[in-house]
Amino acid sequence: MEPLRWRLMALLPLVASFLLFYFNYYFKSSASECSLLPHNHYWIVSKRIVTPKGIISGAVEVNGGNIISVVKEDDWRGNARSKSVLDYGEAVVMPGLIDVHAHLDDPGRTDWEGFPSGTRAAAAGGITTLIDMPLNSFPSTVSEETFKLKLNAAEGRIYVNVGFWGGLVPENAFNASALEGLLRAGVLGLKSFMCPSGINDFPMTNASHIKEGLSSLAKYKRPLLVHAEIPQEPEDYVKGESGADDVRSYSTYLKTRPASWEEAAIRELLAVTIDTRSGGSAEGAHLHVVHLSDARSSLNLIKEAKKRGDSITVETCPHYLAFSAEEIQNGDTRFKCSPPIRDAANKKQLWEALLDGHIDMLSSDHSPSVPELKLFDDGDFLRAWGGISSLQFVLPVTWSFGRNYGVTLEQLVSWWSEKPAKLAGQDLKGAIAPGYHADIVVWDPEEEFDVNDNHPIYLKHPSISAYMGSRLSGKVLATFVTGNLVYEDGKHAPAACGVPILAR
Ligand SMILES: NC(=O)NC(NC(N)=O)C(=O)[O-]
Ligand SMILES: [Zn+2]
Ligand SMILES: [Zn+2]
């Protein structure tokens, strides 16, 4: 008997560690600080669930961070009184937004934004995934080493999931092993500028750098995102009225960056995207034009390239769809960005192109700075920092302004979730369907609110947001990130449980 007892005693540590593991697991999944919900198996019920098969009244079953079933009301056998049923009534349930273009400026310029404030604002805005740009942080993310610094900065500080673009710069463009090191480390693709970026350690690239970058990207089947503006000859810098520039006037700034800058860049890019066609030397690579502002000749060039079979997509941003040059007040440098916001007729054409599918998707291009760099005292459009602060409001902005054009909920999902998921290589994101990640936004399209000091704004510097003072419709009620209820009714889950998204 004795030896058996000893043998059982030897098992004790094993049993203890099993109990500890079970307790931890149970504790983590039931009362976790990651979620405002006490359980991880639940049903989201609503009369307006936007699915790839249309808008249904029914329930989305979530378990362990994934959507495991989506059922219509008539087929739903769930217990309506159960605590694990979240009934949102008439509110819209759709995939969380995927913002493929945001500058969170971390590490190095956390006084501009930073991962914690940026991702809390994202959560409050229904954005469940964002892809951080490689510049405006310091250092810029242009090598495996600097990417490690980025990942360290994100650890334990992100409230939604965050992926990363790496930078294509002259220093790494002809160095295939450096570029591949960065790609292997997990950046989802690369980003480059064809004009000065305003950031010293992020110099601009030309068409030959871009051609080289595309050939490395082809192997990994990842995209290159390009800021497409090339500065043109000085004769394009038209002087303001009466020969003297009025630096406080928006039109002065607009004239310094005409549509011909975008057109010239896109023309050069299209000479390179030929290689991305099937059978071409860079087949597998993809080119994505960020923040298109010119809805005329630049867009026509992109349409032609698509017709030829080049692998190319294009995004525009809510600020180009919400504002027009004519409305921007003297000295209001919150509206300065590049490429610039153009005239009202151009804005209408951007909407038309989006509705016709010629513009593929939307992104925020959230690019804040400290308020001092906006030079509000002088209102000098030529010297102020360029970049629009918008992250928390992109959904209501798209909806509020899009309603005049008859935008549908399905279109919102296509522009903000489906197409961005595809660009970022996220096959299990961007739809409310079984097997997909439970990244979900619940919002009320009818509810209006004023963006002012009484409204909770989670961005680091609310005062620089171009949307301060606007009245918007479409209030975000709840945001789920891989099953965690990270935001509801003005409240965030206490812990930052977002995860970095790495390409594999
Ligand atoms: N350094 C920047 O953040 N630049 C950004 N600035 C804008 N859009 O005005 C951008 O994306 O080009
Ligand atoms: Zn840009
Ligand atoms: Zn940007």
Side-chain angles (χ1 to χ4, degrees):
M1 272 297 75
E2 208 54 13
L4 179 65
R5 214 164 89 198
W6 282 114
R7 249 182 272 155
L8 284 176
M9 292 278 277
L11 281 178
L12 261 182
L14 197 69
V15 172
S17 59
F18 175 77
L19 284 175
L20 198 68
F21 173 80
Y22 183 78
F23 176 79
N24 264 341
Y25 178 80
Y26 181 79
F27 183 77
K28 234 183 154 178
S29 55
S30 65
S32 159
E33 303 222 295
C34 298
S35 178
L36 296 168
L37 278 182
H39 32 248
N40 61 17
H41 185 192
Y42 56 88
W43 286 261
I44 297 173
V45 172
S46 149
K47 301 228 174 308
R48 286 192 280 181
I49 303 174
V50 189
T51 78
K53 295 183 186 150
I55 299 176
I56 62 162
S57 171
V60 181
E61 183 180 5
V62 173
N63 197 359
N66 293 318
I67 295 171
I68 58 169
S69 73
V70 181
V71 285
K72 290 198 179 150
E73 194 175 18
D74 295 344
D75 305 327
W76 190 46
R77 308 266 170 266
N79 178 352
R81 280 167 308 174
S82 155
K83 275 201 195 121
S84 43
V85 172
L86 312 172
D87 191 341
Y88 288 107
E90 304 271 336
V92 170
V93 171
M94 62 182 215
L97 280 71
I98 299 176
D99 184 5
V100 295
H101 187 159
H103 302 261
L104 294 192
D105 316 332
D106 205 340
R109 287 195 184 86
T110 50
D111 49 338
W112 291 19
E113 187 65 84
F115 283 127
S117 57
T119 56
R120 276 163 68 85
I127 296 167
T128 49
T129 296
L130 63 81
I131 322 290
D132 185 47
M133 279 292 165
L135 72 159
N136 295 11
S137 53
F138 185 80
S140 291
T141 312
V142 294
S143 63
E144 209 179 324
E145 293 70 37
T146 49
F147 183 44
K148 294 234 164 85
L149 298 175
K150 184 64 105 175
L151 289 175
N152 286 341
E155 198 176 335
R157 297 173 70 238
I158 49 180
Y159 289 81
V160 300
N161 294 338
V162 178
F164 308 89
W165 304 118
L168 176 75
V169 289
E171 185 193 318
N172 63 21
F174 292 104
N175 185 343
S177 71
L179 272 188
E180 292 195 16
L182 186 53
L183 290 166
R184 271 199 303 271
V187 297
L188 300 174
L190 300 174
K191 157 77 181 289
S192 82
F193 267 71
M194 298 180 89
C195 60
S197 74
I199 294 289
N200 290 339
D201 71 339
F202 204 93
M204 65 195 235
T205 46
N206 60 30
S208 10
H209 301 123
I210 287 172
K211 197 175 165 70
E212 285 297 313
L214 281 176
S215 69
S216 289
L217 286 159
K219 278 199 215 163
Y220 292 81
K221 299 208 173 352
R222 292 183 209 165
L224 175 65
L225 285 76
V226 181
H227 178 128
E229 280 187 298
I230 295 182
Q232 299 299 289
E233 293 307 305
E235 37 282 22
D236 271 327
Y237 291 91
V238 188
K239 286 272 173 200
E241 280 90 74
S242 67
D245 275 335
D246 177 0
V247 295
R248 290 178 50 80
S249 153
Y250 181 75
S251 66
T252 301
Y253 171 62
L254 182 58
K255 286 174 196 157
T256 67
R257 278 182 113 107
S260 59
W261 285 35
E262 287 187 77
E263 188 187 340
I266 289 167
R267 223 176 259 292
E268 284 207 12
L269 283 174
L270 300 191
V272 179
T273 54
I274 289 183
D275 298 343
T276 64
R277 288 188 216 170
S278 120
S281 59
E283 183 181 350
H286 176 82
L287 194 125
H288 178 73
V289 175
V290 299
H291 56 39
L292 183 85
S293 172
D294 172 30
R296 296 164 185 145
S297 30
S298 305
L299 184 66
N300 286 335
L301 289 170
I302 295 172
K303 281 194 221 169
E304 281 165 30
K306 284 182 173 178
K307 255 195 229 147
R308 300 189 312 215
D310 295 12
S311 187
I312 183 168
T313 45
V314 56
E315 77 190 23
T316 191
C317 309
H319 40 277
Y320 300 117
L321 300 166
F323 307 124
S324 57
E326 295 89 331
E327 303 160 347
I328 301 174
Q329 302 294 309
N330 281 356
D332 197 349
T333 56
R334 292 177 304 157
F335 294 88
K336 178 177 177 179
C337 61
S338 67
I341 293 165
R342 305 191 191 280
D343 56 77
N346 182 75
K347 175 176 78 171
K348 185 161 177 279
Q349 285 172 299
L350 281 175
W351 272 113
E352 287 161 0
L354 192 59
L355 291 162
D356 290 345
H358 299 306
I359 294 177
D360 302 275
M361 68 191 86
L362 296 173
S363 76
S364 72
D365 191 14
H366 174 65
S367 186
S369 67
V370 284
E372 297 76 69
L373 288 180
K374 284 289 188 185
L375 308 178
F376 290 133
D377 288 344
D378 318 346
D380 183 336
F381 270 105
L382 301 185
R383 286 178 35 251
W385 177 259
I388 300 275
S389 170
S390 61
L391 196 61
Q392 190 180 334
F393 300 112
V394 291
L395 172 58
V397 168
T398 313
W399 179 243
S400 305
F401 291 88
R403 282 209 296 189
N404 305 332
Y405 294 86
V407 162
T408 65
L409 296 173
E410 285 100 328
Q411 282 166 326
L412 288 182
V413 170
S414 165
W415 304 331
W416 274 116
S417 304
E418 255 168 56
K419 303 265 181 62
K422 192 152 186 261
L423 179 73
Q426 301 304 302
D427 301 342
L428 298 178
K429 292 192 184 292
I432 302 274
Y436 278 70
H437 295 165
D439 291 341
I440 295 167
V441 55
V442 184
W443 63 291
D444 179 354
E446 280 79 39
E447 187 165 347
E448 297 194 358
F449 61 98
D450 291 306
V451 187
N452 58 27
D453 290 336
N454 301 323
H455 188 87
I457 303 181
Y458 300 99
L459 297 164
K460 186 154 278 175
H461 301 294
S463 68
I464 62 165
S465 174
Y467 296 102
M468 275 307 254
S470 315
R471 185 165 182 82
L472 300 175
S473 52
K475 191 169 179 199
V476 172
L477 306 176
T479 306
F480 299 82
V481 174
T482 41
N484 289 324
L485 178 57
V486 297
Y487 174 84
E488 188 173 47
D489 252 344
K491 222 175 121 194
H492 286 86
C497 300
V499 293
I501 300 175
L502 300 180
R504 269 168 290 128

